[in-house]
Amino acid sequence: MNTLSRRGFLAASAATLSAAAVPSLLLPARPARAEGHKVITAGKRVIEVKGKAANVFGLHQADGSSGLVMNAGENFRVRLKNLIGEPTAIHWHGLTPPWQQDGVAGISQEPIPDGGSHDYDFPVARPGTFWMHSHFGLQEQLMLAAPLIVRDPAEAGQDVQEVVVLFHDFTFRDPKEILAELKAGGHDMSAMAAPAPAPAPAAGGHEGHNMPGMAAMPSGQSSHDTMDHGAMGGMQMGGGQMAGQMSGMSHLQDVQYDALLANDRTLEDPEIFAVEPGGRVRLRLINGAASTNMWLDLGKLQGTLIAVDGMPVEPVQGTRFEFAVAQRLDILLELPKEASAWPVFAVQEGGRMRTGVVLAAKGAPVGKLVDMADEDFPAVGVDLEQRLRAARPLAEKTASREHTMMLGEGANYVWTLDGAMHGQDKPLAVTGGDRFELTFMNHTTMSHPMHLHGHHFQVVAVNGKRFAGAVRDTVLVPANMGMVTIAFDADNAGKWALHCHHLYHMAGGMMTSMAYDD
């Protein structure tokens, strides 16, 4: 795959975050010992954003490639080397390893000290678009993340070009300062409930409409009006009280970003992938943002969604697809036969900020692209979710265990699961062999991308409506009493993280664990 680039990465040091305290109750980080492991280094780097140098982290192999590509059926034999200047732990998002190799500090392993390394070795059976990222402190906010692509050997002979894109939201500000301001109520909640801005058709060609969690604002009030988060924080979320007080209001962003990035770049200097006119392209797209749900906008192209979170779905055609934090989209494109350039955008929900890459035929001119869309995009909701159907659904089975988990919010940027912050929570008990149905009920004014480690689940209901939805590892739960039910088989014993993947919500307490009792 050819890539045209005007600049490379700069070699420099990044600002160091202070390490968070982690209880010493896990397997110790052991020195690297086994031979034949692929080495991935967590290191410091500098990227350029809007003409300014930015200190960030990264995960690279010795040849400079970001992340890892492997085949299903192989063993994940990786030696992770830590050179970021502080302890770290890397989670293999979407894989289902033995729990002690899941890479979550405080749950599955001790953090790897600076200068240390750790070996991982487990079989990987399923192909898919996955990713790797830090699960320690606020490191993921500093882009300590990379793609993790597991190819299907049965597809090796297909004439399809692969394009991998990892999206981020980016700010020059220190994540520690942002979190401190959020806890002090210093950030406003912008992009609150607003009238739908009549977007272009979403996936499947459906016209835009109000998404769950969006309601009409009073006359004369715009989507850019704000409400202080600290004031709202004093209103405890629970028992539907807040939903009644807020009358369906919601907000979309509580952190403001300087840019969105696609493979570390803005639209001022996008990555350009050389493609063949009339060729087939498989987009492997990863929303690695800290807190921004996005819309994937194919512009003039029509695409076929063939997988979400690495798991195949019945094909869905469209030009725009909802794309929550931590989710992945695999989209198959049949390119037009004329030699041209086709931008692929990711646009923030509730606004116009965007980034993207360009697919360009040889010799095709690439025009200047602007980092703002022509119109506001609506909230990301569950419209697409409700239309997805798994290509390989779970076997029909009656649930042997059910639980409704309450998603809550309190003063000083407190986010809770079943009324408790992480550290004060009790693990969710599960028995091996259970068919577990877990319902997330959202009592807050923000949506939450909920991620369960070590398992793939099937979405089986949204707001009480049953259907055989997609198999995933991350699902968005709409604001203001939104409900999503997932089903999974308890077939991977251990202790597993369960949390909101909005990273500041997780840092504010919206995390727990699930522990097998046998």
Side-chain angles (χ1 to χ4, degrees), residues 167-255:
F167 297 102
H168 281 106
D169 43 19
F170 174 83
T171 173
F172 288 100
R173 301 192 62 207
D174 187 330
K176 297 191 300 295
E177 293 179 0
I178 292 173
L179 183 59
E181 286 191 7
L182 289 168
K183 289 183 175 181
H187 268 212
D188 289 336
M189 304 186 306
S190 39
M192 246 178 48
H206 292 211
E207 291 298 323
H209 55 278
N210 278 343
M211 300 288 182
M214 294 192 72
M217 294 288 287
S219 176
Q221 189 171 6
S222 76
S223 63
H224 301 287
D225 292 333
T226 60
M227 176 179 292
D228 183 72
H229 191 270
M232 279 192 61
M235 294 182 263
Q236 294 289 336
M237 306 292 180
Q241 176 184 1
M242 187 62 185
Q245 292 174 340
M246 296 303 297
S247 301
M249 291 185 185
S250 64
H251 66 281
L252 305 181
Q253 289 96 33
D254 48 10
V255 178

Side-chain angles (χ1 to χ4, degrees), residues 352-366:
R352 301 187 181 192
M353 186 184 292
R354 67 181 182 180
T355 187
V357 298
V358 179
L359 311 178
K362 183 178 180 180
V366 178

